[in-house]
């Protein structure tokens, strides 16, 4: 079983993608809902978050729920659990109790944050991870009927005030919890944030999508997303994936989700042509996988290519 940071992401995105399939096609819920719950449960295993626990000097965010530290990385399993709980009538009661406690801790921390930021690593906050926190809170509300309006409104206000670069419309990739930028505004973080924000605030997700699509560069019917906005430069990192003439492999894939969700058919078609060409699709009967994507790439594309049915209205 794949574990660590990439295992967390792979299991989370598998859960999200299959849950979105169930929401779009209720006739498949009986088949896939148990798989969603298994994938979401695996995303919460201790070995999936060991790198974060080590970074926090042994403090495990899933156990120390009363901590003042943000532990925003747990938003990924929290969101997966919420989607599983939303579609699986057999969702375990003990897991629901853990999920409720995790969401309550996030709600408390986020309401206490004047910038709407929570740290993932000590001293480092990623607006994209906090967008996943908001998504997890929003989906929890839909699964349980609990009203989380106050915390989601506070978060969205601070995203607009603190976390979005006014010139590019992109979110700043890394920040301090005090709202100070530690990195440039970048498309990879904005693309993934736009997907997560769609679960919590449709209008804000569309704003991020507008900034993201401003980074599209097209040629002969294909397109890719440029990582850095005008006036900013960099070499990229593990979040952006390789940069090819400034174009981000990750941002190009992430952009598929908001393009699909918000009906930008022409943008989606151009981006998908590129993903299809680079991904080397392999078909076996009704099954499709991308040869160059590996476990991570295929789980991400499952989530992005099925996005839309759980968008906030």
């Amino acid at each position: 079983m794949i574990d660590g940071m990439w295992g967390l992401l792979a299991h989370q995105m598998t859960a999200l993608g299959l849950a979105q399939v169930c929401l779009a096609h209720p006739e498949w819920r009986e088949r896939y809902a148990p798989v969603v719950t298994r994938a979401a449960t695996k995303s919460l295993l201790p070995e999936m978050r060991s790198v974060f626990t080590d970074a926090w000097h042994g403090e495990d965010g899933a156990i120390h729920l009363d901590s003042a530290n943000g532990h925003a990385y747990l938003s990924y399993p929290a969101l997966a659990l919420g989607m599983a709980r939303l579609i699986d009538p057999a969702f375990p009661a003990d897991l629901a109790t853990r999920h409720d406690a995790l969401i309550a801790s996030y709600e408390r921390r986020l309401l206490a944050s004047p910038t709407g930021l929570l740290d993932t690593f000590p001293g480092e906050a990623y607006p994209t991870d906090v967008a996943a926190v908001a998504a997890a809170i929003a989906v929890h509300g839909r699964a349980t009927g609990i009203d989380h309006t106050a915390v989601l409104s506070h978060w969205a206000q601070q995203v607009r005030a603190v976390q979005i670069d006014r010139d590019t419309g992109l979110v700043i990739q890394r920040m301090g919890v005090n709202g100070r930028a530690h990195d440039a505004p970048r498309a990879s973080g904005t693309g993934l944030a736009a997907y997560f924000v769609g679960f919590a605030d449709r209008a804000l997700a569309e704003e991020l999508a507008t900034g993201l699509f401003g980074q599209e560069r097209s040629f002969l019917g294909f397109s890719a997303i440029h990582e850095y906005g005008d006036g900013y430069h960099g070499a990229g990192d593990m979040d952006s994936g390789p940069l090819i003439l400034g174009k981000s492999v990750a941002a190009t894939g992430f952009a598929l989700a908001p393009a699909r969700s918000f009906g930008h058919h022409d943008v989606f078609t151009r981006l998908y042509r590129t993903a299809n060409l680079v991904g080397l699709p392999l078909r076996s009967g009704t099954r499709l996988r991308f040869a160059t994507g590996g476990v991570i790439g295929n789980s991400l594309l499952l989530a992005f290519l099925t996005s839309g049915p759980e968008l906030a209205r």
Side-chain angles (χ1 to χ4, degrees), residues 3-311:
D3 60 11
M5 186 186 303
W6 298 122
L8 187 157
L9 185 62
H11 287 98
Q12 183 225 21
M13 288 295 174
T14 298
L16 297 185
L18 290 177
Q20 289 165 174
V21 168
C22 292
L23 290 169
H25 301 278
E27 68 275 17
W28 292 349
R29 182 172 301 200
E30 184 177 355
R31 176 179 180 181
Y32 288 121
V35 183
V36 173
T37 296
R38 286 200 299 272
T41 302
K42 287 182 178 179
S43 74
L44 194 58
L45 291 172
E47 55 264 37
M48 301 298 172
R49 58 182 184 272
S50 57
V51 65
F52 302 103
T53 301
D54 290 345
W56 285 104
H57 309 292
E59 181 177 283
D60 185 341
I63 296 173
H64 296 88
L65 295 178
D66 58 348
S67 172
N69 297 320
H71 295 291
Y73 59 90
L74 283 169
S75 60
Y76 289 73
L79 176 55
L81 290 169
M83 289 292 277
R85 194 171 177 180
L86 189 66
I87 66 161
D88 187 359
F91 191 80
D94 60 334
L95 199 55
T97 299
R98 290 189 68 189
H99 182 223
D100 290 341
L102 180 55
I103 295 299
S105 73
Y106 273 142
E107 185 166 30
R108 171 183 56 80
R109 292 168 183 159
L110 202 51
L111 281 170
S113 171
T115 59
L117 289 164
L118 301 177
D119 39 10
T120 291
F121 294 106
E124 290 282 2
Y126 297 79
T128 299
D129 291 350
V130 187
V133 171
I137 292 172
V139 172
H140 177 269
R142 285 197 279 281
T144 63
I146 294 174
D147 184 3
H148 295 300
T149 301
V151 65
L152 293 173
S153 296
H154 166 70
W155 159 78
Q157 181 180 11
Q158 296 310 313
V159 171
R160 292 185 171 101
V162 177
Q163 302 171 30
I164 299 176
D165 177 67
R166 296 184 184 278
D167 293 332
T168 63
L170 303 175
V171 294
I172 299 167
Q173 196 87 347
R174 294 181 298 114
M175 307 183 75
V177 291
N178 59 2
R180 184 172 299 170
H182 291 178
D183 198 346
R186 290 166 52 185
S188 56
T190 305
L192 188 53
Y195 170 62
F196 288 140
V197 172
F199 290 86
D201 188 317
R202 183 183 177 92
L204 180 56
E206 287 191 288
E207 291 176 33
L208 296 184
T210 297
L212 178 66
F213 297 147
Q215 298 295 110
E216 184 192 11
R217 306 291 187 267
S218 301
F219 181 72
L220 296 177
F222 295 82
S223 70
I225 302 295
H226 203 275
E227 175 70 357
Y228 292 89
D230 291 343
Y232 297 92
H233 304 280
D237 53 23
M238 64 183 294
D239 294 326
S240 65
L243 298 188
I244 303 171
L245 298 177
K247 315 302 185 294
S248 165
V249 171
T252 300
F254 297 160
L256 288 165
R260 183 181 192 275
S261 298
F262 295 117
H264 294 269
H265 303 297
D266 292 343
V267 176
F268 179 87
T269 298
R270 291 190 294 268
L271 292 169
Y272 186 77
R273 283 175 181 151
T274 302
N276 196 58
L277 176 67
V278 176
L280 299 178
L282 297 175
R283 292 188 179 274
S284 176
T286 59
R287 303 182 68 177
L288 170 67
R289 65 183 179 91
F290 294 87
T292 62
V295 173
I296 301 298
N298 279 279
S299 61
L300 287 165
L301 286 172
L302 172 63
F304 300 150
L305 294 175
T306 58
S307 64
E310 188 45 25
L311 279 181

